């Protein structure tokens, strides 16, 4: 049982957890007493719809109270580097701030996206590690610079629910976007897929390769039409370049997902973590089609998170 939940690596039995979370979905209030007199603090350095609401709902299902704090809107700007002379915009050090928040809460969830200013700094996960070091309570990753494990956990629950064969073909495809997005969702999905029995492919334009520490055994290719053949699941996501850090590829409308592309698959289910820009990433005719299981993914976020909180509460 982990004290912290940063990635699938904190999960001793990912397949067991997927099945347990699906069972929890059928009995969401069965552990309502577990979180009585416990408080979950939700610390957001960035915007959120699904993560915020699904995590509050998950906590409520377990009887927990929640406190939500938007650091950029309501808080002081935090310094994460030790030894700095703090005579600039950073008013408070993470050492004090994390310790104070940990004093008020029994578990803390942290969302902190990458800055895209410096790959090495982003991939060091200073916010997550700072909270782990100084808060003194279990930390749950609500999407960090490099990973979004609660999303991937819900994604695998969704695949498990919808799969029609033991070993489905799952294709994660890059799609266009107008601005630089993190690699957290594709990194995390690739990492979780290492534990799942599937024929897993990642397809993207040249230059959009992810960090191989996450993609490992996935089949990598550059031809979307070819990759989509016989696919059972198409997971759509944009990400900016890992190697030319934060760069985007413009004028790649040919990579947008359309109904016509889905019709070339084995009646594949269409997945996206949301939010999605319609007719940039996915065309209306695809997202509104019978292929989409996107709402199931969003709904499963509640039960993936509820299971993680339950595991922490009983530890
Ligand atoms: N998928 C996801 O994490 O959504 P939010 O950014 O709205 O929380």
């Amino acid at each position: 049982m982990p004290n912290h939940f940063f990635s699938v690596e904190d999960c001793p039995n990912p397949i067991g957890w997927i099945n347990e979370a699906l069972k929890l979905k059928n009995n969401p209030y069965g552990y309502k007493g577990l979180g009585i007199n416990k408080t979950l603090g939700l610390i957001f350095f960035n915007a959120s719809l699904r993560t915020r609401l699904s995590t509050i709902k998950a906590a409520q299902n377990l009887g927990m109270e929640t406190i939500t704090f938007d650091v950029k809107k309501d808080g002081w700007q935090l310094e994460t580097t030790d030894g700095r002379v703090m005579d600039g915009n950073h008013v408070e050090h993470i050492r004090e701030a994390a310790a104070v928040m940990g004093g008020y809460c029994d578990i803390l969830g942290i969302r902190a996206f990458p800055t895209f200013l410096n790959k090495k700094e982003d991939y060091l996960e200073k916010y997550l590690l700072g909270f782990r070091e100084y808060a003194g309570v279990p930390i749950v990753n609500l999407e960090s610079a490099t990973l979004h494990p609660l999303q991937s956990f819900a994604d695998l629950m969704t695949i498990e629910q919808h799969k029609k064969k033991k070993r489905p073909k799952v294709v994660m495809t890059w799609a266009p976007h107008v601005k630089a997005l993190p690699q957290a969702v594709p990194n995390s999905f690739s990492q979780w897929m290492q534990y799942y029995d599937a024929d897993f492919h990642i397809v993207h334009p040249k230059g959009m390769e992810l960090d191989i520490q996450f993609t490992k055994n996935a089949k990598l290719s550059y031809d979307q039409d070819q990759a989509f053949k016989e696919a059972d699941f198409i997971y759509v996501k944009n990400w900016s370049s890992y190697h030319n850090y934060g760069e985007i590829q413009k004028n790649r409308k040919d990579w947008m997902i359309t109904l016509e592309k889905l019709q070339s698959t084995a009646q594949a289910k269409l997945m996206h973590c949301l939010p999605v820009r319609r007719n940039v990433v996915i065309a209306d005719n695809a997202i509104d089609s019978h292929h989409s299981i996107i709402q199931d993914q969003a709904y499963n976020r509640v039960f993936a998170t509820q299971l993680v909180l339950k595991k922490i509460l009983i530890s």
Side-chain angles (χ1 to χ4, degrees):
M1 204 336 292
N3 272 327
H4 303 287
F5 183 74
F6 280 19
S7 77
V8 68
E9 288 169 357
D10 292 318
C11 176
N13 177 4
I15 303 305
W17 280 33
I18 289 165
N19 291 323
E20 230 182 296
L22 286 168
K23 275 191 201 145
L24 201 54
K25 191 174 171 179
N26 291 326
N27 181 25
Y29 308 114
Y31 300 89
K32 188 87 186 173
L34 211 54
I36 299 290
N37 297 330
K38 301 279 185 195
T39 301
L40 172 66
L42 299 173
I43 313 303
F44 286 95
F45 289 87
N46 308 93
S48 168
L49 185 160
R50 278 143 293 273
T51 304
R52 177 183 297 231
L53 300 185
S54 64
T55 307
I56 291 172
K57 178 70 180 147
Q60 286 174 347
N61 287 354
L62 293 166
M64 297 185 84
E65 302 286 339
T66 58
I67 298 173
T68 304
F69 184 49
D70 291 302
V71 182
K72 284 193 175 153
K73 189 163 139 264
D74 302 319
W76 306 112
Q77 210 171 323
L78 293 189
E79 176 61 64
T80 55
T81 304
D82 284 338
R84 280 267 159 85
V85 177
M86 288 171 52
D87 56 0
N89 294 331
H90 294 88
V91 176
E92 180 157 27
H93 202 281
I94 195 166
R95 283 175 175 257
E96 284 77 46
V100 168
M101 294 185 218
Y104 299 152
C105 300
D106 301 280
I107 303 174
L108 286 173
I110 311 295
R111 167 164 283 200
F113 288 176
T115 60
F116 288 124
L117 298 173
N118 180 322
K119 176 163 80 175
K120 200 172 159 208
E121 291 255 318
D122 283 344
Y123 271 64
L124 276 176
E125 298 283 15
K126 281 185 159 187
Y127 285 95
L128 222 53
L129 295 187
F131 273 90
R132 185 175 73 180
E133 183 78 15
Y134 305 119
V137 295
I139 302 299
V140 176
N141 183 352
L142 302 180
E143 188 174 347
S144 66
T146 66
L147 291 170
H148 195 359
L150 291 172
Q151 179 64 54
S152 314
F153 185 2
D155 295 338
L156 264 66
M157 283 174 68
T158 313
I159 292 175
E160 185 65 17
Q161 246 183 304
H162 284 276
K163 74 178 186 186
K164 293 199 174 78
K165 57 174 85 144
K166 191 175 174 311
R167 193 165 190 276
K169 179 176 178 181
V170 179
V171 180
M172 181 171 74
T173 180
W174 183 93
H177 203 279
V178 291
K179 57 178 279 216
L181 295 190
Q183 293 108 33
V185 168
N187 283 347
S188 202
F189 186 70
S190 305
Q191 196 184 36
W192 277 76
M193 285 301 288
Q194 304 298 325
Y195 296 84
Y196 195 73
D197 190 14
D199 179 21
F200 181 45
H201 296 243
I202 303 174
V203 63
H204 53 71
K206 283 194 176 154
M208 285 296 157
E209 291 79 7
L210 293 161
D211 184 348
I212 54 168
Q213 71 164 303
F214 301 113
T215 56
K216 283 189 180 151
N217 308 325
K219 293 172 185 157
L220 310 179
S221 65
Y222 301 119
D223 184 336
Q224 196 184 49
D225 291 342
Q226 190 63 32
F228 275 27
K229 284 183 186 156
E230 304 302 323
D232 300 298
F233 292 89
I234 301 291
Y235 195 115
V236 186
K237 187 69 186 86
N238 170 268
W239 59 87
S240 58
S241 174
Y242 170 71
H243 291 289
N244 293 314
Y245 193 57
E247 276 190 19
I248 63 170
Q249 290 197 8
K250 292 185 180 151
N251 307 319
R252 297 313 305 256
K253 199 164 182 187
D254 52 322
W255 279 77
M256 182 176 76
I257 307 307
T258 61
L259 182 60
E260 294 70 34
K261 287 187 186 181
L262 294 175
Q263 283 165 344
S264 73
T265 66
Q267 284 296 313
K269 300 295 183 193
L270 173 67
M271 302 179 71
H272 190 283
C273 62
L274 299 176
V276 66
R277 289 181 185 244
R278 281 173 173 251
N279 305 309
V280 174
V281 180
I282 306 178
D284 283 339
N285 69 2
I287 200 166
D288 294 330
S289 74
H290 69 279
H291 292 272
S292 175
I293 53 170
I294 287 172
Q295 289 299 331
D296 288 350
Q297 281 175 269
Y299 188 54
N300 281 336
R301 291 291 307 272
V302 174
F303 307 102
T305 304
Q306 192 175 334
L307 189 77
V308 170
L309 294 176
K310 177 179 169 240
K311 295 280 181 191
I312 293 172
L313 286 171
I314 61 177
S315 67

